[in-house]
Each structure stands twice: as structure tokens, then as C-alpha cells.
Amino acid sequence: MKRASPAVHQSWRNQDLLNIIVENWTRFTGDPRMLKQLDRTTAQDWLARWDTQQERYVADREDRFLVIGDVIEHICAEQISPEIVDLGCGPGSLTARLATRFPAAHITGLDTDPFLLALAEATRPSATASPRYLDLDLATPGWAQAVTDGHLLSAVTTTTALHWLRPPRLAALYREVADNLRPGGVFVNADNLYDQQPALEELTSVIRRRRAERNRVERNEAWQTWWNSLRQDSRVTSVFSPAQLAGCSTGYANRCSPQWHLEALSAAGFSETGTVWQHGNDYILVGIR
């Protein structure tokens, strides 16, 4: 990417950014101070456990993150300060890695879980101005208007996040992403997907499980165990209410196939779509505007 200019985009003024963050956090905590109340050590402890339990489901998670960065590096090579949005960012695992790799970029992570957003905020890369984190629900339209300030985005990313959306809403979200990307911009979706051909779906699932066994991550802490343990930590429960530690998962998964995703991206207005990385049923799909 090109060297950053000393000029700062008007929409990223410090006071404006602070106001946006406080407004969003106040909306679901009732207390604007909540943003500062999770100490960094506690957050780092729980983020490390989060990363470990996520590898139980995505054995090549770090490689997946690197490839997403490679895609953005190539697409945004001629931009000084690309604007990137990470949908369903959770505790900022991908968002923070992108901010470290692209320090001149303006990066925004969106999620609705108060504790995961607190983890993201408390563990943000100390040397970077980005990312900012906002409480926005992807299940309803309007997230783009709250983020873009009328400017087209360079890239939109998401990882292991959109499988909980119903297919009609997911198709609409893809149209919203396409409408807010600049020409040549990229959408990157990394997730476990399930091929619509039964034998191939079974085979790709087996390949993923074998990889997990070889990496010895199949016995890592499970997602539900992580949340249950979190609710026993007094450092956390002294700050967050039981409702705020409930986790936002509905238990629903759309199990849309990679074929469905690519067709939906094309229908949404992406000029080119395809798979840039795959291991078993773990995919990185892209749509180029």
C-alpha cells in the first residue's frame, strides 16, 4: 500500500470517533464507562482462550487470517488509507490483525455482543489508531449508513460469522455490501461451508476433521465451555451482567453451500466471484465489485 498522508479524513476526527463509540456502548450497557472497565490483562487472558477454542473448529485459522490479509493487500495496493469493515467481528481477532498489518487503514469492526466487543476494545493494537468497534446488528438493514458516512469502502471482511443469518437476509446483506464497495473493491467471507453435493460435503468434512486431528486441536476447549467458564470469573462478572454474558448465538446455522454463496454474490452485483482458499470445508470466498 502507498505511504499514508498526514491528512486525516474528516469522518475520523478523534472527538467524532469517541462520540460514536460512547453512543453505541451506552445503547446496550446503559453506562458509557463500560468501555473502559474491562482491564487489558483480563481481556488478554480471555482472548487467548477464545483463540484456542476457535482453533478446535478452524485448525488453519491463522493461515486463513493471513490469506484474507493477502487479498486485501493486493486489492488495496494503490490506496493510501483503505477503508475496511469487518462484519461480525466478535472479539476483534481478524480486525486487530488487519489493523496491525495495515496501520494506515481505517478499519471498523461490527458486532452485537457486549462482552466480545469489550474484549476487542481492551486488546486493540496499542500502536494503531484503528480499529474502531461499533454495536450494529447485521440482521437488520442500516449498518452501512452508520459506518460509511457516505463514502465507498475498499474492502469488507467476515470470518465465521454469517452462517447465523437466514438466507433471505444474507442475500440482502450481500446487496448492501456490494452497494457500499468502490469499483474494484472486495468482499471476503471465510467460513465452514457445506457443499450441496452430499458425497463431496461428507468428504470435505472428513478432510477438515483429519486436519484438526493432525494439529491436535480437536480436544481444545469447546465454545460453550468457554462461555460457561467466563461466567465464573469474578473479574468479568463484577463488570458485566448475566444478560451481557449470555452470548449472542441463536443456535441456528443456515448451512448454505459455497455454490449458494457465489450465486448470491453474483446476484448482488459482484462482477467476479470465486474461492481463493480452501481446506476441507473451510473456505475463503471473494466477490470483486
Side-chain angles (χ1 to χ4, degrees):
M1 294 182 185
K2 292 184 178 179
R3 185 179 300 276
S5 165
V8 179
H9 197 284
Q10 183 72 14
S11 66
W12 287 79
R13 290 178 301 173
N14 288 342
Q15 188 59 51
D16 288 347
L17 178 57
L18 178 60
N19 290 341
I20 290 171
I21 293 173
V22 169
E23 176 184 351
N24 279 275
W25 274 78
T26 302
R27 177 154 55 89
F28 65 83
T29 64
D31 183 357
R33 297 171 300 170
M34 186 66 73
L35 186 61
K36 300 179 181 180
Q37 286 184 326
L38 187 64
D39 69 271
R40 189 173 180 86
T41 299
T42 300
Q44 287 174 331
D45 290 346
W46 283 105
L47 182 61
R49 284 182 66 169
W50 174 272
D51 286 340
T52 299
Q53 62 95 350
Q54 285 288 292
E55 288 181 347
R56 173 184 175 127
Y57 310 103
V58 185
D60 294 299
R61 189 166 177 259
E62 290 300 328
D63 189 45
R64 181 206 260 184
F65 287 148
L66 288 172
V67 172
I68 294 172
D70 292 341
V71 171
I72 292 175
E73 183 177 68
H74 178 76
I75 292 293
C76 301
E78 297 303 315
Q79 298 180 55
I80 295 174
S81 299
E83 296 201 25
I84 302 167
V85 172
D86 187 23
L87 305 178
C89 67
S93 298
L94 172 61
T95 328
R97 285 165 173 80
L98 293 178
T100 299
R101 183 165 175 176
F102 308 116
H106 296 312
I107 304 175
T108 303
L110 310 182
D111 209 285
T112 58
D113 188 286
F115 181 73
L116 295 184
L117 283 170
L119 279 189
E121 187 63 40
T123 57
R124 64 167 51 248
S126 58
T128 65
S130 283
R132 62 173 179 170
Y133 293 104
L134 301 178
D135 167 37
L136 289 169
D137 189 355
L138 301 178
T140 58
W143 63 271
Q145 292 85 341
V147 172
T148 63
D149 193 28
H151 297 90
L152 294 178
L153 301 170
S154 308
V156 175
T157 63
T158 184
T159 176
T160 322
L162 301 186
H163 52 264
W164 57 270
L165 289 175
R166 304 282 174 176
R169 174 57 199 148
L170 181 52
L173 177 70
Y174 283 171
R175 291 191 293 271
E176 294 160 9
V177 171
D179 289 344
N180 287 278
L181 276 174
R182 67 173 183 82
V186 67
F187 171 67
V188 189
N189 181 11
D191 210 340
N192 294 111
L193 305 176
Y194 304 92
D195 200 284
Q196 62 191 19
Q197 304 169 90
L200 194 56
E201 190 278 326
E202 180 182 4
L203 178 58
T204 56
S205 296
V206 167
I207 295 299
R208 179 182 63 82
R209 288 197 300 271
R210 292 290 185 266
R211 180 64 168 173
E213 291 168 1
R214 285 194 292 273
N215 284 13
R216 298 182 178 180
V217 296
E218 77 277 8
R219 295 186 181 275
N220 284 14
E221 184 175 33
W223 184 88
Q224 190 60 59
T225 303
W226 186 90
W227 281 101
N228 291 341
S229 299
L230 177 72
R231 299 180 191 111
Q232 304 303 314
D233 188 339
S234 61
R235 299 173 300 172
V236 173
T237 57
S238 63
V239 176
F240 293 91
S241 70
Q244 292 167 338
L245 299 176
C248 289
S249 174
T250 64
Y252 169 80
N254 58 45
R255 293 185 68 88
C256 291
S257 69
Q259 295 91 336
W260 184 96
H261 283 275
L262 296 176
E263 291 172 4
L265 289 169
S266 294
F270 288 89
S271 61
E272 298 182 35
T273 64
T275 302
V276 296
W277 181 91
Q278 178 187 355
H279 199 288
N281 63 8
D282 189 8
Y283 289 79
I284 298 179
L285 306 181
V286 300
I288 299 175
R289 191 69 172 100

